[in-house]
Amino acid sequence: MQIIVLDTLCARHPDSPYAVTPTVGEAVHEGTVSGVTVLGGEDTPGQDAPGHDGPGQDGPGDWPGLVRRVPVRGTRQRLRALAAALREEAGRVLVVDCSCAIRPETLAAFANLATSTALVTDRRDLPVRAGAVVRHEGRAPLVLDRLAAPDDRCEDGETFGYLGSAVLLNADRTALADILDARPGPPSWRVALGRLARRVRVQCAVLAQDIHGHDIVVENRLAGGSYARTYVHLHRQGRRIVRKEAFGEGQDKLSEEIGWLRGLDDSARRHFPDVVEHRIETRGASMDLHYHPLPTLRGLILSGAIDEEEAALWARRILAVVKRDLYPAGERDVPEDYIRRTHLDRVARRLAETAAALPHRHRLWEAERVRVNGVWLRNVRHVVADLGRDERMLGLLTPRRLLRTHGDLHFDNVLIDRSNHRFLLIDPRGNPGYDVAYDLGKVWHSVNSLYDLIHGGHVEVTVGETEIDYTLTAPELVAFYRAVRRRLYHWLTATRWHRGEPHWLLKVRLAEAAHMCSVMPFHIAHDERETVALACYARGVELINELYGDLAEAAGRRTGTRLAPVS
């Protein structure tokens, strides 16, 4: 990687040039940086030599064969010299406003980037050189829209602080050179970079602080769990690492996940990303995992990349592998209160959290009956309370044994490597023992509850005081998931995957219904609208009523609610 330094003087040190060689020395010796072009550096060459340990305040720094200086005077000449330097270089070029903006800890990471990227921050303790107006594109990294004044707060995008560093690759270098050479030319380098961002995609890496207070460069924020945040960060050695961190209530869950992953035997461990490093402190817990740039099974389905047979094939493979390599370890006795503690109490707790988060919907949560898509049904908390008092039903639902399970086995927690015909499981719950129906319930809430479509925004919702109407807006995807469910159900029954449990499907449906009735707080916290949370609740109302009716029938009682299939 080449570095172009626009100046060795800036507002932070207007009278004392900042030397280059001390900041790039380590990266040069490691082979990361191959040369530095300094535009200006004005009158006196610095006295720094390779390996000099001082701060380098004597000048731009000399390093024969590495650092070259291009004398310039005035903004226009500087921009023309930048254009010429960009055309001369090849591959990646790091352009920095001033030599003091070179951050040695980021050089190896920047040298491995495959997309032009600007370094920004949302921290208040760092001096910024301009405002970076960015936009979000789903789960992809932030994208630079333009540069603005540092205190500019724009209505058409979120504003970060630009830290004076941008990596440009291949054709983007030439495009920027063309902008700089245009007549009339841009008034400044920052305007030129903003114009480039309007022509090509310039991503943003965010200099942030991790939960332990250390600087970290975040390339992409990923979907996290209920109480954790997950992101891809650029390690100072040039690797990409997935960081998962949590504090408060989430810290205990993450600590359990760390212990669970580190305790896996070899046969199970090979189906999960390797734990690179972990740290558990009073202020929070974190875990670093090897990064695998693979799509999830949910992503492949929703993007149309695979057909229903391949989707069902992957689902069968996943369930076969966890049954063979994960479940055999950790067998435990089942406590008498397992169903209440694992499912019913969780639903009651999450309903209370939902009511507190959306108090204006209090009549919806408190009503004894709610109307969902035109059908009056008993509200969730009343069904859960009756179920918790019925020992016969609880007996039908209680498993014979508990095993080591994944605990969150939905389609967005499986990375698919189609080229190598393998998959990786991510984000396990880390619980020492669950009913295997809990895992299958997560699969079922993808293929039967159609949570993937609701989560993806393929739903329209209208809500009144005690009624919710929802419509799934992607009928072709509804049919797709229904076909996957049929194929999967036939395979599960043909192979006796349930190990002879006579009421296995009722147990799976309890787990499915409990998942849908307890996921609302997560979506309320993470989504800008309440649509997804309300759709999940409506689907949960349907599921818990239908389950209760079938349980009553299995227990020898004549009651129940039959619902039409979701359309």
Side-chain angles (χ1 to χ4, degrees):
M1 180 176 68
Q2 293 278 333
I3 300 177
I4 299 177
V5 180
L6 293 179
D7 207 342
T8 60
L9 295 169
C10 71
R12 294 175 61 191
H13 49 92
D15 302 317
S16 181
Y18 200 96
V20 173
T21 55
T23 56
V24 302
E26 181 179 353
V28 170
H29 287 297
E30 291 178 349
T32 301
V33 173
S34 57
V36 182
T37 298
V38 181
L39 307 182
E42 259 93 359
D43 298 326
T44 23
Q47 302 302 313
D48 298 310
H52 178 70
D53 294 328
Q57 298 295 320
D58 297 326
D62 286 337
W63 193 335
L66 177 83
V67 178
R68 72 173 181 128
R69 294 188 300 117
V70 179
V72 297
R73 294 190 180 278
T75 300
R76 187 64 234 163
Q77 189 178 8
R78 191 180 304 277
L79 295 181
R80 289 175 182 170
L82 172 59
L86 288 169
R87 296 188 192 280
E88 290 174 7
E89 306 299 351
R92 296 172 182 82
V93 174
L94 173 64
V95 181
V96 295
D97 286 12
C98 177
S99 51
C100 69
I102 300 174
R103 297 178 178 272
E105 69 275 11
T106 67
L107 293 179
F110 280 4
N112 287 332
L113 290 174
T115 304
S116 294
T117 303
L119 183 63
V120 303
T121 188
D122 55 0
R123 289 167 53 180
R124 300 292 184 182
D125 61 320
L126 295 176
V128 300
R129 301 173 183 276
V133 182
V134 305
R135 62 183 185 272
H136 298 263
E137 296 182 353
R139 293 188 185 180
L142 296 175
V143 178
L144 180 66
D145 189 71
R146 65 186 184 277
L147 297 183
D151 57 351
D152 188 7
R153 292 295 177 262
C154 302
E155 296 181 357
D156 57 344
E158 186 176 356
T159 303
F160 283 66
Y162 175 61
L163 291 173
S165 300
V167 178
L168 302 173
L169 274 70
N170 304 319
D172 296 350
R173 288 184 297 98
T174 305
L176 180 59
D178 291 341
I179 292 171
L180 292 166
D181 283 338
R183 295 291 189 272
S188 70
W189 144 247
R190 292 166 191 165
V191 171
L193 182 58
R195 290 180 183 176
L196 177 69
R198 294 301 180 101
R199 295 189 184 182
V200 303
R201 181 185 178 88
V202 178
Q203 294 184 174
C204 293
V206 182
L207 182 62
Q209 278 193 335
D210 67 11
I211 201 167
H212 307 293
H214 301 144
D215 286 354
I216 194 166
V217 179
V218 178
E219 182 183 41
N220 193 11
R221 299 190 186 277
L222 306 176
S226 304
Y227 301 97
R229 61 182 182 184
T230 307
Y231 50 83
V232 178
H233 72 91
L234 303 174
H235 195 274
R236 62 177 300 151
Q237 295 178 355
R239 304 177 283 156
R240 284 177 173 81
I241 297 292
V242 174
R243 164 67 64 86
K244 189 172 184 179
E245 56 187 30
F247 62 94
E249 182 175 350
Q251 181 173 348
D252 291 339
K253 294 178 66 175
L254 182 55
S255 299
E256 290 176 358
E257 181 181 340
I258 292 169
W260 189 89
L261 285 170
R262 297 186 71 235
L264 291 176
D265 49 85
D266 290 342
S267 61
R269 186 182 298 116
R270 62 197 175 102
H271 302 299
F272 294 85
D274 291 333
V275 178
V276 177
E277 187 178 353
H278 70 280
R279 177 181 289 185
I280 301 174
E281 297 178 341
T282 303
R283 64 189 300 174
S286 67
M287 173 174 62
D288 285 350
L289 302 163
H290 277 162
Y291 173 62
H292 298 271
L294 297 170
T296 66
L297 181 53
R298 180 192 293 174
L300 288 173
I301 293 173
L302 297 184
S303 67
I306 60 177
D307 59 26
E308 60 195 41
E309 173 52 35
E310 185 175 351
L313 174 63
W314 283 112
R316 293 193 297 266
R317 285 176 174 172
I318 293 160
L319 291 173
V321 162
V322 295
K323 181 179 179 180
R324 183 192 68 210
D325 294 339
L326 188 61
Y327 294 163
E331 182 171 340
R332 297 193 303 145
D333 292 335
V334 181
E336 291 184 3
D337 62 344
Y338 173 79
I339 296 299
R340 293 188 182 92
R341 177 170 50 84
T342 303
H343 296 298
L344 306 185
D345 292 350
R346 175 168 61 103
V347 170
R349 187 169 59 252
R350 296 291 178 81
L351 287 176
E353 293 175 13
T354 302
L358 297 177
H360 62 288
R361 300 289 185 197
H362 66 95
R363 292 192 179 182
L364 184 63
W365 321 125
E366 295 170 0
E368 183 175 351
R369 292 166 63 83
V370 293
R371 191 176 70 181
V372 177
N373 284 356
V375 179
W376 285 100
L377 301 168
R378 298 182 67 208
N379 215 341
V380 172
R381 65 190 185 96
H382 296 286
V383 179
V384 167
D386 284 354
L387 180 55
R389 290 189 290 264
D390 194 311
E391 295 299 330
R392 172 66 176 157
M393 291 186 182
L394 292 176
L396 293 175
L397 294 170
T398 300
R400 297 175 180 176
R401 55 183 176 172
L402 302 183
L403 302 173
R404 179 182 65 185
T405 60
H406 180 283
D408 201 11
L409 197 63
H410 58 72
F411 284 0
D412 212 34
N413 275 346
V414 186
L415 302 178
I416 302 297
D417 185 354
R418 299 175 76 194
S419 299
N420 295 301
H421 308 289
R422 63 188 296 263
F423 63 85
L424 288 170
L425 305 175
I426 60 174
D427 288 344
R429 173 61 183 86
N431 191 287
Y434 271 157
D435 181 6
V436 295
Y438 195 96
D439 272 0
L440 197 50
K442 285 285 187 174
V443 174
W444 231 241
H445 98 317
S446 287
V447 300
N448 185 62
S449 299
L450 303 176
Y451 173 76
D452 294 3
L453 304 188
I454 297 173
H455 182 276
H458 299 282
V459 64
E460 293 178 350
V461 176
T462 57
V463 57
E465 287 191 347
T466 58
E467 51 279 330
I468 303 176
D469 292 326
Y470 73 96
T471 303
L472 296 170
T473 57
E476 71 286 353
L477 286 173
V478 173
F480 186 107
Y481 275 94
R482 291 285 185 247
V484 173
R485 184 192 64 181
R486 285 194 300 271
R487 294 170 187 265
L488 194 55
Y489 176 79
H490 292 325
W491 176 78
L492 289 167
T493 54
T495 60
R496 294 180 62 80
W497 190 90
H498 46 83
R499 304 176 186 230
E501 288 268 9
H503 302 292
W504 70 275
L505 191 54
L506 290 174
K507 298 171 184 177
V508 170
R509 289 169 55 198
L510 170 66
E512 175 196 10
H515 297 328
M516 293 301 290
C517 291
S518 60
V519 75
M520 295 84 67
F522 170 78
H523 287 288
I524 293 169
H526 289 78
D527 299 340
E528 295 182 356
R529 300 181 300 165
E530 60 183 16
T531 302
V532 171
L534 291 172
C536 288
Y537 184 73
R539 188 72 182 112
V541 172
E542 292 178 325
L543 292 169
I544 200 74
N545 274 270
E546 189 171 22
L547 171 67
Y548 190 86
D550 289 343
L551 275 171
E553 184 175 321
R557 304 190 178 97
R558 297 183 61 183
T559 183
T561 304
R562 296 294 176 187
L563 301 176
V566 173
S567 59

